[in-house]
Amino acid sequence: MRDFLYRIRAGEIIVADGAMGTMCFEAGLRVGDCPELLNIENPQLIEDITRSYLEAGSQIVQTNTFGGTALKLAPYGLQKRSAEINEAAVKIARRAAGDRAYISGSCGPSGKILQPYGDTEPEIIYASFREQINALIEAGADIITVETMVDLEEAKLAIKAARQISSTIPVMAAMTFDSTPNGFFTIMGISIEDAAVGLKEAGADIIGSNCGNGIRDMVMIASGFRQATDMPLIIQSNAGLPKVENGKTVYTETPEMMAEHAKDLMVLPVSVIGGCCGTTPEHIRALRKMVDSWAA
Ligand SMILES: [Zn+2]
């Protein structure tokens, strides 16, 4: 595999994968279960989901470690097993992908609120990210992806932890924005411009947004990032906003719709395009087709 950042800088558009959580719930994971424990208790399920994305054309597959910090695992009594769980997740992804795709170590929010808004000290959150990211890198992750962040300070702690462990591993960082009458902001009030500056300063190589929005709003968010920075961008859109139908959460944006709007991302350009909640291998297959026809 050629160097990931080299390819990005040369202008290649890389297709990532889609939702992991949505697929786990489809397969029977219940609300209240720990999704990351599946890496230990049902590795075959995670491997099968990863394979389905590879077959759809993903060039990056993410580990099932979104909630893999000790802080996030603590409510399940699993806080001592962060390293073990993260290591297992990388091995599963590698077993599925071999060297035909990059393994991205997923690193989501700690679930704690930093001072001064909450009561958690930055050192505690940093240490938790550090433990997780160290396990991901030791086990062979090619990329670290800090994602679904709403607090810029927390995102920066995760990026700095990754940078401290490895000065060379590519780090992608994505925040989640809401549409407001005054533009897009995270729940914690972070604007796209603030995010662009802060994520870069902390040491990320590729920045952008995932989750929280369907593809139309994601195109607007991506344009905002493009105006704010010349850094390579990542966008992983939800398949629309979740709706509850018959007690079940459903996402309604079709693969065709996502792929059609992905053209607007490629124009900017956005370098890494994938899906978040509600997206399936079918969404990725459609994106793959669109990216390939664009490049041709
Ligand atoms: Zn999501």
Side-chain angles (χ1 to χ4, degrees), residues 148 210-212 236 238 251 276-278:
T148 325
N210 75 301
C211 209
Q236 300 204 270
N238 282 359
Y251 294 85
C276 201
C277 301

Short mmCIF file of all heavy atoms in Angstrom, two decimals, residues 148 210-212 236 238 251 276-278, ligand 1:
data_model
loop_
_atom_site.label_atom_id
_atom_site.label_comp_id
_atom_site.label_asym_id
_atom_site.label_seq_id
_atom_site.Cartn_x
_atom_site.Cartn_y
_atom_site.Cartn_z
N THR A 148 -16.70 12.34 15.83
CA THR A 148 -17.96 12.67 16.52
C THR A 148 -17.71 13.58 17.72
O THR A 148 -18.42 13.52 18.72
CB THR A 148 -18.71 11.38 16.95
OG1 THR A 148 -18.51 10.37 15.97
CG2 THR A 148 -20.20 11.63 17.06
N ASN A 210 -18.19 14.31 10.84
CA ASN A 210 -18.92 13.06 10.69
C ASN A 210 -20.16 13.13 11.57
O ASN A 210 -20.23 13.89 12.52
CB ASN A 210 -18.06 11.85 11.10
CG ASN A 210 -17.92 11.74 12.61
OD1 ASN A 210 -17.44 12.66 13.26
ND2 ASN A 210 -18.35 10.64 13.17
N CYS A 211 -21.14 12.34 11.21
CA CYS A 211 -22.35 12.14 12.03
C CYS A 211 -23.19 13.41 12.15
O CYS A 211 -22.78 14.50 11.79
CB CYS A 211 -21.96 11.63 13.42
SG CYS A 211 -23.26 10.60 14.16
N GLY A 212 -24.42 13.20 12.64
CA GLY A 212 -25.28 14.32 13.00
C GLY A 212 -26.06 14.96 11.88
O GLY A 212 -27.00 15.71 12.13
N GLN A 236 -17.97 12.18 6.68
CA GLN A 236 -18.72 10.92 6.82
C GLN A 236 -20.13 11.27 7.27
O GLN A 236 -20.38 11.57 8.43
CB GLN A 236 -18.02 9.98 7.80
CG GLN A 236 -16.59 9.65 7.31
CD GLN A 236 -16.06 8.34 7.86
OE1 GLN A 236 -15.43 8.31 8.91
NE2 GLN A 236 -16.31 7.27 7.14
N ASN A 238 -24.28 10.93 7.86
CA ASN A 238 -25.31 9.96 8.20
C ASN A 238 -26.22 9.76 6.99
O ASN A 238 -26.27 10.61 6.10
CB ASN A 238 -26.17 10.48 9.36
CG ASN A 238 -25.48 10.33 10.70
OD1 ASN A 238 -24.37 9.83 10.78
ND2 ASN A 238 -26.16 10.78 11.75
N TYR A 251 -33.15 5.21 9.08
CA TYR A 251 -32.50 6.30 8.33
C TYR A 251 -32.96 6.18 6.89
O TYR A 251 -33.03 5.08 6.35
CB TYR A 251 -30.98 6.14 8.40
CG TYR A 251 -30.42 6.33 9.79
CD1 TYR A 251 -30.38 5.28 10.70
CD2 TYR A 251 -29.91 7.56 10.19
CE1 TYR A 251 -29.84 5.44 11.97
CE2 TYR A 251 -29.37 7.74 11.45
CZ TYR A 251 -29.34 6.69 12.34
OH TYR A 251 -28.81 6.85 13.59
N CYS A 276 -21.65 7.55 8.05
CA CYS A 276 -21.74 7.34 9.50
C CYS A 276 -23.09 6.68 9.76
O CYS A 276 -23.52 5.84 8.96
CB CYS A 276 -21.53 8.68 10.23
SG CYS A 276 -21.03 8.48 11.95
N CYS A 277 -23.76 7.04 10.86
CA CYS A 277 -24.95 6.31 11.29
C CYS A 277 -25.96 6.09 10.16
O CYS A 277 -26.29 7.02 9.42
CB CYS A 277 -25.63 7.04 12.43
SG CYS A 277 -24.55 7.24 13.84
N GLY A 278 -26.45 4.89 10.06
CA GLY A 278 -27.49 4.56 9.11
C GLY A 278 -26.98 4.18 7.74
O GLY A 278 -27.75 3.71 6.89
ZN ZN B 1 -22.86 8.62 13.31
#
